[in-house]
Amino acid sequence: MSDLAGRSALVTGGASGIGAACARALAARGAAVTVADIDTAGAAAVAGELGGESWAVDLLDVAALEELELRTDILVNNAGVQHISAIEEFAPQRFRDLLTLMVEAPFLLVRAALPHMYRQGWGRIVNISSVHGLRASPYKVAYVTAKHGLEGLSKVTALEGGPHGVTSNCVNPGYVRTPLVDEQIADQAAAHGVPEQEVLEKVLLTESAIKRLVEPDEVAALVSWLAAPEAGMVTGAAYTMDGGWSAR
């Protein structure tokens, strides 16, 4: 399939997990992909595999993004981290960092990409949100707040970008098989003295009707479709991929 031939794409957090899967899926459809990540070696490895480019970037350094100009046709805002703590114990700087990474940095990248997209009358912005952009869980105050904020950014971008041929959507997976989730499972298993499979079934997947993790390639398939020409009328949407969690 080459329906994205001649298009350029930028994927943040592209060195591993969902981001790497998205980079591969977009490249498979013909896009020239730039893999952006704080992990310099990881980004270079994925980019080399795809014949693309890598961008070593610390998205917490927002001052460096304020004057950025991006000539990309497709922007996938994927970079993110998790931190689990009760609100009264949540470190304020850690809260700010998560919001910076998952709301302010995407805003600055969208801001940097829109002029080019507007000039050519075509653009695709896909924001990797989460079921936590639609539902809350305890002990994840920064992540839930950030993902709700990302949903708002995406919708406003859809309204402003629509007249210029630019779409903006969110993809909202449940727990995805990534290093981030593997670490959460291991940490909770160690903390509670239970097997990792028990954590998976009785903690992470309690709300899901389908009792398995989402695979990164499944998320990437939806992302690549949203970036494709046939999704030109799809904008301002949030696509759940959570095994039925948000149906409750």
Side-chain angles (χ1 to χ4, degrees):
M1 188 179 295
S2 57
D3 53 2
L4 294 178
R7 298 294 186 188
S8 58
L10 171 65
V11 181
T12 68
S16 64
I18 295 172
C22 289
R24 293 184 180 106
L26 292 167
R29 297 186 82 140
V33 180
T34 297
V35 180
D37 206 292
I38 195 170
D39 177 359
T40 304
V46 175
E49 170 195 333
L50 304 176
E53 297 183 1
S54 63
W55 177 24
V57 59
D58 180 0
L59 294 177
L60 291 180
D61 183 9
V62 290
L65 303 178
E66 290 181 3
E67 302 304 322
L68 186 67
E69 296 181 9
L70 289 176
R71 295 180 59 83
T72 189
D73 306 317
I74 301 160
L75 170 63
V76 181
N77 283 311
N78 165 72
V81 295
Q82 178 62 279
H83 184 77
I84 298 172
S85 175
I87 292 173
E88 70 274 16
E89 298 170 357
F90 211 107
Q93 188 57 54
R94 188 63 171 154
F95 183 90
R96 293 185 196 104
D97 285 347
L98 265 68
L99 264 66
T100 297
L101 179 62
M102 293 185 282
V103 182
E104 187 175 0
F107 155 71
L108 290 168
L109 293 174
V110 168
R111 179 176 179 269
L114 285 180
H116 167 72
M117 293 179 178
Y118 285 179
R119 283 193 297 270
Q120 67 179 3
W122 195 96
R124 298 284 188 268
I125 295 167
V126 184
N127 300 296
I128 306 301
S129 181
S130 164
V131 65
H132 283 114
L134 307 172
R135 299 286 187 273
S137 290
Y139 310 114
K140 298 180 179 179
V141 63
Y143 190 85
V144 171
T145 301
K147 292 302 187 182
H148 275 67
L150 185 62
E151 297 283 332
L153 170 65
S154 186
K155 290 177 181 178
V156 173
T157 306
L159 294 177
E160 294 188 16
H164 303 276
V166 177
T167 66
S168 175
N169 294 284
C170 283
V171 173
N172 302 67
Y175 288 103
V176 183
R177 191 184 307 278
T178 64
L180 180 69
V181 170
D182 288 343
E183 184 179 340
Q184 286 186 57
I185 294 171
D187 287 349
Q188 293 209 28
H192 299 290
V194 298
E196 291 188 6
Q197 186 62 29
E198 187 173 333
V199 172
L200 186 63
E201 294 174 357
K202 296 185 178 180
V203 180
L204 269 64
L205 301 179
T206 320
E207 303 295 332
S208 177
I210 300 174
K211 301 299 183 183
R212 69 169 177 84
L213 296 175
V214 184
E215 297 297 334
D217 287 348
E218 293 177 304
V219 181
L222 179 52
V223 170
S224 67
W225 177 76
L226 287 169
E230 60 263 36
M233 279 296 288
V234 180
T235 196
Y239 277 81
T240 58
M241 186 178 279
D242 59 12
W245 181 343
S246 56
R248 294 181 182 273

